[in-house]
Amino acid sequence: MKKPTILLVEDDGLDIISVERSLKKLESEYVLHTAYNGIEALKILRDPNAGLVPDVILLDINMPRMNGIEFLKVIREDKNLKDLKVFIMTTSSEENDRSQAEKLGISGYIIKPLNYTENTKRSDSMDAFVQFHLRKILLDESL
């Protein structure tokens, strides 16, 4: 059985660590690939030797070189990539960012910060996403 694959496109090292910690709580195996901006993600996705077709892309909006919205525009115009499931990770409260992302067919949002201080009782947004959405997506894909 093929392991589900996740492509994380994120330029912040602390957010990458937070995502990795949350993913470790999944009760299934997966493969995680990381790109630090949209250009790097496109190279990975278009590399014929890698053969990577992720089950889910976790995409930051605010990144250098090629941001999340620019990346989404490119993959939605690519016949081989246009149907990929993409979840936006953002601190942005800009209505324009949300509107553009929704028009580009995202599957949902994960609001940053991805974790909170130890003094709060609120659940981590990434943990909640992993437990309620990603688990279902990855389990359904692997059946």
Side-chain angles (χ1 to χ4, degrees), residues 68-79:
I69 298 296
E70 294 165 335
F71 173 80
L72 271 170
K73 287 177 181 175
V74 171
I75 67 167
R76 293 306 187 222
E77 293 174 1
D78 185 311
K79 68 180 172 73

Side-chain angles (χ1 to χ4, degrees), residues 93-111:
S93 58
E94 286 290 320
E95 186 55 40
N96 187 41
D97 285 347
R98 285 179 177 254
S99 173
Q100 281 187 328
E102 287 171 6
K103 286 177 185 170
L104 291 166
I106 61 163
S107 298
Y109 277 94
I110 306 161
I111 303 300

Side-chain angles (χ1 to χ4, degrees), residues 9-12 36-40 60-68 70:
V9 187
E10 171 63 68
D11 66 318
D12 185 294
Y36 297 95
N37 59 58
I39 292 171
E40 198 173 303
D60 184 20
I61 285 185
N62 298 314
M63 296 179 294
R65 299 186 68 201
M66 176 185 276
N67 70 35
E70 294 165 335

Side-chain angles (χ1 to χ4, degrees), residues 1-6 28-31 33 51-56 137-143:
M1 179 159 69
K2 174 188 165 290
K3 288 183 188 176
T5 305
I6 302 163
S28 62
E29 293 185 29
Y30 61 89
V31 177
H33 297 269
L52 175 64
V53 180
D55 296 290
V56 174
I137 290 167
L138 296 181
L139 291 176
D140 286 350
E141 295 289 329
S142 63
L143 295 177

